[in-house]
Amino acid sequence: MSDTLWSERQKSTWRTKVGLAEMLKGGVIMDVTTAEQAKIAADAGAQAVMALERVPADIRAQGGVARMSDPEMIQQIQESVSIPVMAKCRIGHFVEAQILEALGVDFIDESEVLTPADQSYHVDKHGFNVPFVCGCRDLGEALRRIGEGAAMIRTKGEAGTGDIVEAVRHIRTVTDEMRRLQGLKPEQLMGAAKDLGAPYDLVVEVARTGKLPVPNFSAGGVATPADAALMMQLGAEAVFVGSGIFKSDDPAPRARAIVDAVANYENPAKLAEISRGLGQPMSGIAVGAMPENEKIAVRGW
Amino acid sequence: MKTVGVISFQGDFDKHIERSRALGLHAVPVRDAEAAAQVDAIIIPGGESTTIGKLLERFDMIDLIRRRIGDGLPVLATCAGAILLADEISGSDQPRIGGLHISVRRNAYGRQIESFEADVIVGDSDWPGWQESNVLGVFIRAPIIDSVSDEVKVILEFEGKPVLVRQGAILAATFHPELTADTRVHEYFFHAVAGFPAQ
């Protein structure tokens, strides 16, 4: 036996939190609302599922306040699959986060898809044992969330639309801003930190390494295998798919095709094979025709 | 120069590629049978074992890898990789490579909040590298090896359970040596197990 007690062991460190995010690279995390959907996702090869009551497209359509899901529903999904289960809390709603941690979810998404609970502050994520993922539209937002303790970043895209345009914009913005930092001289980095609204130490780290200190995934608008491969080729390290699967005509083959596309994102011949005969994707909403006040990516401070 | 192929569908394959290159090997991502047929050693990374197993099956790699390992191809497997090599996975009929005579239990320490770091203990190995300092194990939703057959050597252990085991040219860890700066598990694999010359 070990010479230390269980309770004396160093647990849930930054390394184990970011480590789980590392294990989730190269795969697909799917939104599911029932145990049956969770099983379809796991059978398709999803590496994790996001348990929530309504997919973003339905949150959009139905309106009202979107909150953390019912713990009973989250537990049913936890019991139905062996892969990691994630769940969403509202921005700044640290008590929802405490409840999700008590349920033993594997990752918490402090998500703009739900109605924000705090107009100024996000959750202090360092205080939790469970790792967090947060959305971003640009590098400053990503580094603020990492500074608060997020162990994974996802670009936001525009959830529930099936339109990839915002996801592309956000990942290109983050990548361009990182590249720009790499070209700056040391004396310029404090000014850059001020302009980005980002912690100085993290700005210095990105300027040196050219990448975020935690894995960078993509979300918001993925509806086809080609969309998923596009985000991977643009530098995303894994893909979240929300409404794109279970709002399509035939979810199981589409789920599997998106998994296969992420695993083979640089191989056009395989992508062509994978994309065949999947039926209609979700019909979607073009973001360009959407009123500003209906966009949810702007939530986050 | 020897080429090591890292199965790169899903999981922390980049960390293994980086580590192998840092140790002077030619490391390549492997995503099809053609690439898997050409490498001198293979690494199966951490990640989600059900996802990796399904993709190996879908892209017709599982039989080839099983055959090559049977023919003596050196293989390093971490966490999910160790699960995929296990002959027995408690309560699961997921696609697997098999061939390593152990029985494993997935997520045996619990959910992510039970993930931890701890020093592990040297078992049945006189490799001098282990004596330099303690080996820190990073265990993430880790499996537990419940039993091993006689031909399996327990190289490192934790709380009486094997965490690094060797069977011929197969080396399998339940923790993630690729996530710490300590390069000894990879060095042990390349030099003591695979017999590649030191760079």
Side-chain angles (χ1 to χ4, degrees), chain A residues 155-218:
Chain A
T155 48
K156 288 178 178 172
E158 189 60 37
T161 60
D163 187 346
I164 200 68
V165 66
E166 291 297 299
V168 170
R169 187 215 307 274
H170 296 157
I171 198 148
R172 281 198 186 277
T173 302
V174 170
T175 309
D176 289 352
E177 288 173 333
M178 289 198 291
R179 207 171 289 138
R180 187 182 147 264
L181 283 188
Q182 282 183 284
L184 296 184
K185 295 195 171 358
E187 65 268 25
Q188 295 176 287
L189 294 176
M190 186 60 84
K194 182 184 164 211
D195 293 343
L196 288 167
Y200 174 70
D201 287 349
L202 287 172
V203 169
V204 171
E205 181 166 338
V206 171
R208 201 170 292 164
T209 65
K211 57 183 189 179
L212 293 180
V214 304
N216 183 19
F217 291 11
S218 173

Side-chain angles (χ1 to χ4, degrees), chain A residues 1-2 4 6 9-13 15-17 19-20 22-27 42-47 78-79 82-84 101 103-106 129-131 211 237 256 259-260 263-266 270 274, chain B residues 8-15 18 31-32 45-48 50-51 54-55 58-59 79 94 106-107 109-119 121 136 138-141 158-160 176 178-181:
Chain A
M1 293 297 285
S2 158
T4 59
W6 173 266
R9 234 180 263 153
Q10 196 182 4
K11 286 182 70 171
S12 187
T13 60
R15 189 148 43 196
T16 64
K17 290 179 178 178
L20 181 59
E22 294 284 349
M23 297 311 142
L24 295 171
K25 283 185 180 175
D43 287 345
Q47 53 170 346
Q78 286 175 317
E79 285 158 15
S82 64
I83 57 178
E101 180 172 74
L103 289 170
V105 304
D106 296 295
N129 289 323
V130 60
K211 57 183 189 179
E237 295 175 302
R256 178 178 157 155
V259 170
D260 292 352
N264 293 282
Y265 70 95
E266 289 178 311
K270 271 192 188 162
I274 288 163
Chain B
S8 298
F9 285 128
Q10 191 274 328
D12 71 336
F13 46 86
D14 278 341
K15 296 282 176 196
E18 278 168 29
R31 295 192 176 95
D32 57 40
E48 178 47 48
T50 57
T51 301
K54 286 187 175 107
L55 289 165
R58 274 178 213 169
F59 295 102
C79 196
Q94 65 193 84
R106 293 176 61 205
N107 308 332
Y109 295 96
R111 297 182 185 280
Q112 171 62 14
I113 45 174
E114 307 293 340
S115 294
F116 62 96
E117 300 180 27
D119 283 341
I121 293 168
L136 178 71
V138 180
F139 294 85
I140 297 172
R141 285 172 49 92
F158 177 69
E159 292 192 332
H176 292 283
E178 71 279 13
L179 292 184
T180 57

Side-chain angles (χ1 to χ4, degrees), chain A residues 53 65-71 74 87-105 107-111 113-118 123 128 130 132:
Chain A
E53 263 161 8
V65 177
R67 308 178 179 89
M68 177 188 80
S69 298
D70 185 337
I74 293 170
K88 291 183 194 286
C89 75
R90 285 179 263 177
I91 289 173
H93 204 315
F94 52 85
V95 174
E96 285 187 349
Q98 291 164 4
I99 291 169
L100 293 174
E101 180 172 74
L103 289 170
V105 304
F107 239 102
I108 296 177
D109 184 0
E110 186 185 16
S111 177
V113 167
L114 305 184
T115 310
D118 192 317
V123 173
F128 287 79
V130 60
F132 278 74

